[in-house]
Amino acid sequence: NWRENSHGKYDVVMGSDVLYEGKHPGEVAQAVLKFVKPGGRVLLADPGRNYLSKFLQEMKDAGYRETVEMVSTDEKVCFVYEFTTE
């Protein structure tokens, strides 16, 4: 259950296409912040869903900065975000 943190903290936390409902940006941001170690990285892949900007703001408000890379195939485009505090 990603809403609970009974598994410890990690150097890298990854998610893919998890922002498809309006409540998800805040919940996902809270979850990754619970799971990532201080100085760790968060990687998020997203196709550009409507709620992405809310998640980006949540991470910025938590002190993370982002870098983004666009990955494209013939059929789809995906954005891969890396969040760090350094």
Side-chain angles (χ1 to χ4, degrees), residues 55-72:
F55 178 82
L56 298 177
Q57 187 60 52
E58 292 274 344
M59 294 301 289
K60 182 178 179 181
D61 291 348
Y64 283 78
R65 67 172 190 261
E66 70 188 64
T67 57
V68 63
E69 181 177 335
M70 185 176 79
V71 178
S72 179

Side-chain angles (χ1 to χ4, degrees), residues 25 32 79:
V32 298
F79 300 93

Side-chain angles (χ1 to χ4, degrees), residues 10-40:
Y10 302 92
D11 294 322
V12 178
V13 176
M14 299 179 354
S16 178
D17 199 14
V18 293
L19 302 173
Y20 46 86
E21 288 188 23
K23 65 181 180 177
H24 286 170
E27 289 182 352
V28 172
Q30 290 173 13
V32 298
L33 293 171
K34 282 193 273 186
F35 285 110
V36 69
K37 286 182 180 178

